[in-house]
Amino acid sequence: DIVMTQSPDSLAVSLGERATINCKSSQSVFYSSNNYNYLAWYQQKPGQPPKLLIFWASTRESGVPDRFSGSGSGTDFTLTISSLQAEDVAVYYCQQYYSVPTFGQGTKVEIK
Amino acid sequence: EVQLVESGGGLVQPGRSLRLSCTASGFTFGDYAMSWVRQAPGKGLEWVGIIRRKGYGGTIEYAAAVKGRFTISRDDSKSIAYLQMNSLKIEDTAVYYCTRDMAYGSGSYGRMDVWGQGTTVTVSS
């Protein structure tokens, strides 16, 4: 199985500042026949199910604020929250769906 | 409104069985693959398995940790997906989420764009 490793495990960011979460896969999740990276990002707030934020590494799900963006290709990916809001406090997970789905361990985002 | 509602969780002894249900509404259930994902207390997310749409063969796959013990099925006429869990172990204790999976093709996997609220399964003697 592809191992997904996120960094950092947690971060504290001031309101309005940028938050950056990294995700590295143990093998490429880029499918050259269609030029897609099979990588998604989810947000999970306490007591709630995960919510899809980003798919194909950089496509924002409908209704997701544009302060959330995804980038990267191959094995290295980033989720960026450009201006952290109080409602963004959550655990964020990356997930690959190139093969048997696997998730990163999660990154907890808090307010500094 | 697109919605998934899980039911059937509870407290069960090791070695016993439990069947979870996932009732879908607000979309054409038969057009989508469905996946199950679980989350142990205080832990991360773990994919359990997928059942693809009949148009892609209705193929089913499982995570290694549950293969041979869990069975996923679906009833498109009722818009329900099931997770039959046999020979339960203590380490199966988790919140089980049903998800709509955007997998295309008979052997593919997809992003999970709709999640239920989850149902809690506790395996304990």
Side-chain angles (χ1 to χ4, degrees):
Chain A
D1 290 359
I2 297 176
V3 176
M4 307 299 289
T5 303
Q6 292 179 225
S7 62
D9 289 334
S10 65
L11 76 160
V13 176
S14 300
L15 289 173
E17 296 300 306
R18 179 185 300 261
T20 301
I21 301 169
N22 300 301
C23 174
K24 189 174 184 67
S25 56
S26 61
Q27 64 188 75
S28 176
V29 298
F30 178 72
Y31 194 33
S32 57
S33 65
N34 60 12
N35 278 340
Y36 281 122
N37 285 283
Y38 283 56
L39 190 284
W41 289 96
Y42 300 86
Q43 174 194 64
Q44 187 176 33
K45 297 181 180 180
Q48 296 185 19
K51 172 188 173 183
L52 176 66
L53 295 177
I54 303 281
F55 58 97
W56 300 134
S58 61
T59 301
R60 205 177 297 116
E61 175 73 338
S62 175
V64 172
D66 60 8
R67 64 179 179 273
F68 290 93
S69 64
S71 63
S73 184
T75 62
D76 292 279
F77 301 90
T78 299
L79 175 70
T80 301
I81 309 172
S82 60
S83 176
L84 192 75
Q85 304 300 303
E87 61 265 33
D88 301 334
V89 168
V91 178
Y92 293 84
Y93 294 92
C94 61
Q95 177 231 339
Q96 64 79 22
Y97 46 101
Y98 181 89
S99 63
V100 172
T102 49
F103 293 87
Q105 79 277 17
T107 295
K108 187 175 185 178
V109 173
E110 299 172 308
I111 304 295
K112 185 186 292 184
Chain B
E1 179 191 5
V2 173
Q3 196 172 9
L4 299 172
V5 177
E6 302 94 337
S7 59
L11 174 64
V12 61
Q13 293 179 327
R16 303 299 290 265
S17 300
L18 207 58
R19 188 178 81 158
L20 307 184
S21 299
C22 168
T23 303
S25 59
F27 65 98
T28 304
F29 182 76
D31 286 350
Y32 293 88
M34 300 298 293
S35 285
W36 289 89
V37 174
R38 68 184 181 182
Q39 186 169 35
K43 301 297 184 182
L45 302 170
E46 180 185 19
W47 179 80
V48 172
I50 186 172
I51 182 165
R52 298 183 179 90
R53 56 178 285 189
K54 285 187 169 55
Y56 293 142
T59 53
I60 304 170
E61 295 184 37
Y62 302 95
V66 306
K67 194 171 184 179
R69 299 188 298 122
F70 289 13
T71 302
I72 298 173
S73 60
R74 63 190 297 159
D75 185 335
D76 290 352
S77 69
K78 296 181 179 179
S79 297
I80 300 177
Y82 300 98
L83 179 64
Q84 176 68 43
M85 303 184 293
N86 298 332
S87 304
L88 281 161
K89 305 176 180 180
I90 291 175
E91 52 265 37
D92 294 321
T93 294
V95 174
Y96 284 75
Y97 295 104
C98 169
T99 78
R100 188 174 76 172
D101 193 307
M102 298 297 285
Y104 294 99
S106 60
S108 70
Y109 310 88
R111 64 191 185 270
M112 290 170 264
D113 71 333
V114 181
W115 295 64
Q117 286 297 314
T119 188
T120 300
V121 173
T122 303
V123 184
S124 174
S125 55

